[in-house]
Amino acid sequence: MEVDQAIRGSDDMRLKTKYNNAIYVIQRALALYSIEEVALSFNGGKDSTVLLHLLRAGYFLHKGEQSCSNGGLTSFPLRTIYFESPSAFPEINTFTYDAASRYGLQLDIIRSDFKSGLENLFKANPIRAIFLGVRIGDPTAVGQEQFSPSSPGWPPFMRVNPILDWSYRDVWAFLLTCKVQYCSLYDQGYTSIGSIHDTTPNSLLCISDSSGHKEKFKPAYLLSDGRSERAGRVKKCSPISQSSPVAEDGLDDPESQVKRMRTGSAIAVGDEILSGAVQDELGPLLCRKLRSIGWSVSQTTVVRNDIDSVAEEVERQKSSNDLIFIYGGVGPLHSDVTSAGVAKAFGVRLAPDEEFEEYLRHVIGKHFTGDRNEMALLPEGITELLHHENLSVPLIKCQNVVLLTATNPTELEKEWECLVDFTKSVLTLMEPYESKSLTTHLSDVEIAQSLSKLCMQYPDLNIVCHRKSRAGPLVISFEGKEEARIESAAEALRKKFQDGVFSET
Ligand SMILES: Cc1cc2nc3c(=O)[nH]c(=O)nc-3n(C[C@H](O)[C@H](O)[C@H](O)COP(=O)(O)O)c2cc1C
Ligand SMILES: Nc1ncnc2c1ncn2[C@@H]1O[C@H](COP(=O)(O)OP(=O)(O)OP(=O)(O)O)[C@@H](O)[C@H]1O
Ligand SMILES: [Mg+2]
């Protein structure tokens, strides 16, 4: 088996370990299920190409036919399923069909959606387990293990993920070491492939060309930082809309994306704030920052340094906010429980993150205690590291929760600027809020009814009243996205009272 020989002949120890583990998972699956009961889910992408070759190697090792050569294997009795969509790249379809004929795959092309396609497949075949090329870091890997039963609401089967723990680098090390063919798009700068509507070449691989000619891209295997693998993928939808219905092909209408309101919240983790010893300065600053980019803020809360308190609060807020910013409780101290709380809220475990560990090793130097350093433990499968040249350690984003390490306003300013730089992937800049304030010495009773009516007339505006003191003036703020509406509301209020009752601040 050429793939097996190529890996065994390589001196890449990390690749060997990953390969051996994947082959072990495949052999466990082949021991548990008969060959008729398993299927390979293949879509011509790089991950499923790795999986295809691992399965061929695993199958023939399982059969004890180690002397077979790649070219000589004409039949591979594993059922292979491909969900073909009209918006697939033609190069992906061509590669998938070619691979099927080259490796003698029994290819079932399914043109319906995943769930009903699988239901029909199970009606006609005794399939109980499906091999997938899902890797930690893929949005769909959240909460998965190497053997994970299908999700509730899906037809029942076992998802087998032999390359769950493989990194981007591991994938390319394997494909290049084994010298196997992969889809031609990866040589044109594509690093992760979805549909023609949501995938572009990765701009980090762009070869700048001052002549203004067509852009050129380096091949995918030259992407040095695997964390940017999905940089060419247009964000499908923001975290909040994942629970709301999206279009048939999974894409949100770009126009409604721009118009939709964005809501953020802030959670401070700190017993010192709750005891009154320290004042939270970051919550108010975050509110101002969010407002400055046109987001609304749903709430700021303070919770105790305790895993369950953090988990309960994140759990409560995660589906009603686009982003939650959490700060405090991040680090190696006994009270630093924030990442554990976030992991618990999403029902995943904490696991060592190799990339984060590298950063910590660099920053902490000789004091870094390797695997035992709990700072390198991050929520598994849901963590994205937000790397920025101005940060010595990347920020951590778990689904729609951003863990900030700032402990004071100056540090927060710096982290915020980096977050704004990630506009496309993290913060969507919205039309900023406009505001205007009027002050008056009218009493609350005198103005209450007029204000209530005004709120009904201008439901698109936020009309907020506050007093600095009981005896002092009442401040009325009009906030909204259209200046003309604000002016109109202020004018409407003025007209209800005598001239000179209001002054502008
Ligand atoms: C064979 C197969 C089985 C799947 N099983 C599940 C599942 O059990 N639960 C689930 O939420 N999604 C399941 N999915 C959907 C994937 O998680 C994911 O949404 C899909 O591969 C599309 O990925 P993309 O959005 O990156 O293109 C399955 C997909 C395939 C092809
Ligand atoms: N349309 C599909 N048909 C069959 N299997 C699919 C399909 N889409 C996804 N899968 C399965 O899900 C796995 C993960 O998909 P994902 O898009 O992350 O990886 P990939 O397509 O192999 O590579 P890339 O990340 O470069 O796009 C695939 O390897 C494959 O097993
Ligand atoms: Mg893909």
Side-chain angles (χ1 to χ4, degrees):
M1 183 70 200
E2 281 178 6
V3 162
D4 193 60
Q5 279 165 12
I7 301 293
R8 299 208 184 284
S10 148
D11 51 12
D12 185 338
M13 293 313 290
R14 182 185 157 119
L15 177 61
K16 280 184 175 171
T17 309
K18 295 279 163 114
Y19 173 79
N20 287 335
N21 289 345
I23 292 289
Y24 177 74
V25 173
I26 290 168
Q27 295 194 322
R28 289 291 306 143
L30 294 178
L32 282 166
Y33 305 101
S34 71
I35 199 74
E36 294 76 30
E37 289 175 333
V38 289
L40 155 66
S41 193
F42 183 71
N43 66 341
K46 62 179 187 314
D47 304 330
S48 61
T49 304
V50 169
L51 181 65
L52 165 67
H53 291 286
L54 288 172
L55 274 169
R56 295 180 78 240
Y59 174 71
F60 288 100
L61 289 171
H62 176 71
K63 284 268 166 193
E65 292 178 25
Q66 289 156 353
S67 59
C68 289
S69 81
N70 235 355
L73 305 175
T74 46
S75 91
F76 178 52
L78 196 75
R79 184 172 294 277
T80 304
I81 50 177
Y82 173 43
F83 291 88
E84 189 182 312
S85 120
S87 51
F89 280 90
E91 291 88 341
I92 278 283
N93 283 339
T94 308
F95 177 75
T96 304
Y97 301 147
D98 286 355
S101 65
R102 189 174 322 121
Y103 299 115
L105 306 179
Q106 194 191 325
L107 191 66
D108 280 341
I109 298 172
I110 305 176
R111 294 200 168 85
S112 57
D113 66 279
F114 290 133
K115 274 191 195 172
S116 46
L118 289 174
E119 262 162 26
N120 291 334
L121 183 77
F122 297 152
K123 275 184 204 148
N125 301 280
I127 290 167
R128 293 173 58 209
I130 301 182
F131 289 102
L132 291 146
V134 171
R135 291 191 288 117
I136 288 279
D138 290 348
T140 58
V142 179
Q144 287 209 58
E145 305 206 7
Q146 282 160 334
F147 287 81
S148 274
S150 53
S151 313
W154 284 71
F157 63 96
M158 183 62 80
R159 288 177 286 180
V160 186
N161 304 311
I163 59 165
L164 192 64
D165 64 335
W166 286 42
S167 66
Y168 184 80
R169 176 208 163 275
D170 297 330
V171 165
W172 283 109
F174 178 87
L175 294 173
L176 298 177
T177 302
C178 300
K179 299 192 177 69
V180 289
Q181 288 195 15
Y182 50 82
C183 176
S184 59
L185 290 175
Y186 293 110
D187 281 335
Q188 296 164 33
Y190 289 82
T191 51
S192 165
I193 301 175
S195 81
I196 51 171
H197 304 301
D198 73 357
T199 313
T200 58
N202 191 321
S203 58
L204 293 167
L205 292 172
C206 188
I207 304 164
S208 48
D209 175 9
S210 50
S211 67
H213 290 119
K214 212 171 153 243
E215 282 178 322
K216 278 195 161 171
F217 292 87
K218 290 184 268 184
Y221 58 80
L222 289 182
L223 184 75
S224 51
D225 187 345
R227 286 165 297 190
S228 312
E229 172 179 353
R230 295 177 69 86
R233 298 287 289 271
V234 178
K235 273 260 172 249
K236 265 188 172 176
C237 46
S238 72
I240 196 163
S241 55
Q242 278 173 4
S243 53
S244 57
V246 288
E248 189 66 3
D249 63 358
L251 283 171
D252 240 355
D253 164 21
E255 216 165 291
S256 65
Q257 278 277 58
V258 174
K259 284 189 192 141
R260 194 172 64 71
M261 280 253 299
R262 305 290 157 136
T263 307
S265 66
I267 304 177
V269 182
D271 289 338
E272 69 283 8
I273 302 173
L274 290 170
S275 68
V278 168
Q279 218 174 358
D280 173 29
E281 294 176 295
L282 304 192
L285 180 54
L286 267 171
C287 293
R288 289 194 292 276
K289 292 287 177 200
L290 283 165
R291 299 295 287 183
S292 73
I293 58 159
W295 283 47
S296 69
V297 180
S298 67
Q299 58 191 314
T300 62
T301 41
V302 184
V303 300
R304 292 180 40 222
N305 291 78
D306 147 287
I307 295 177
D308 286 332
S309 304
V310 174
E312 272 166 34
E313 196 55 34
V314 172
E315 168 90 77
R316 212 168 53 75
Q317 294 192 19
K318 70 184 189 331
S319 55
S320 51
N321 287 283
D322 290 87
L323 277 182
I324 300 169
F325 296 87
I326 190 162
Y327 50 92
V330 180
L333 302 176
H334 71 282
S335 53
D336 292 331
V337 296
T338 301
S339 40
V342 172
K344 188 163 182 185
F346 286 99
V348 301
R349 58 176 196 155
L350 283 179
D353 184 299
E354 285 171 23
E355 283 165 3
F356 197 59
E357 218 170 279
E358 260 327 294
Y359 279 104
L360 292 180
R361 188 166 291 131
H362 197 70
V363 172
I364 305 173
K366 61 181 174 17
H367 300 296
F368 186 76
T369 52
D371 284 352
R372 284 179 296 120
N373 192 314
E374 294 198 350
M375 278 174 79
L377 295 177
L378 297 178
E380 191 176 43
I382 58 168
T383 297
E384 191 186 331
L385 296 181
L386 305 174
H387 175 68
H388 192 282
E389 58 189 6
N390 293 342
L391 297 174
S392 51
V393 174
L395 293 175
I396 297 161
K397 178 167 169 281
C398 302
Q399 301 268 40
N400 60 335
V401 181
V402 177
L403 278 73
L404 298 168
T405 51
T407 55
N408 62 39
T410 315
E411 289 169 5
L412 180 59
E413 291 280 356
K414 188 174 166 190
E415 292 183 4
W416 181 261
E417 289 198 350
C418 300
L419 280 171
V420 169
D421 271 355
F422 297 119
T423 40
K424 249 188 132 181
S425 59
V426 184
L427 280 173
T428 312
L429 300 189
M430 307 295 287
E431 220 175 297
Y433 279 96
E434 305 284 342
S435 70
K436 178 189 187 86
S437 296
L438 298 178
T439 58
T440 179
H441 281 280
L442 289 171
S443 70
D444 289 1
V445 175
E446 284 170 298
I447 200 169
Q449 206 177 16
S450 303
L451 279 177
S452 303
K453 281 193 186 146
L454 201 66
C455 290
M456 281 193 272
Q457 267 175 288
Y458 292 87
D460 52 322
L461 300 184
N462 201 13
I463 302 174
V464 186
C465 303
H466 76 275
R467 288 181 180 281
K468 287 211 171 108
S469 74
R470 269 288 142 211
L474 177 72
V475 183
I476 307 159
S477 306
F478 300 84
E479 280 184 338
K481 301 241 169 173
E482 281 178 44
E483 208 180 334
R485 291 286 292 165
I486 292 174
E487 289 301 337
S488 157
E491 196 46 39
L493 182 65
R494 274 203 187 99
K495 276 193 186 148
K496 293 186 187 186
F497 296 89
Q498 283 174 355
D499 283 353
V501 163
F502 296 100
S503 35
E504 222 166 279
T505 59

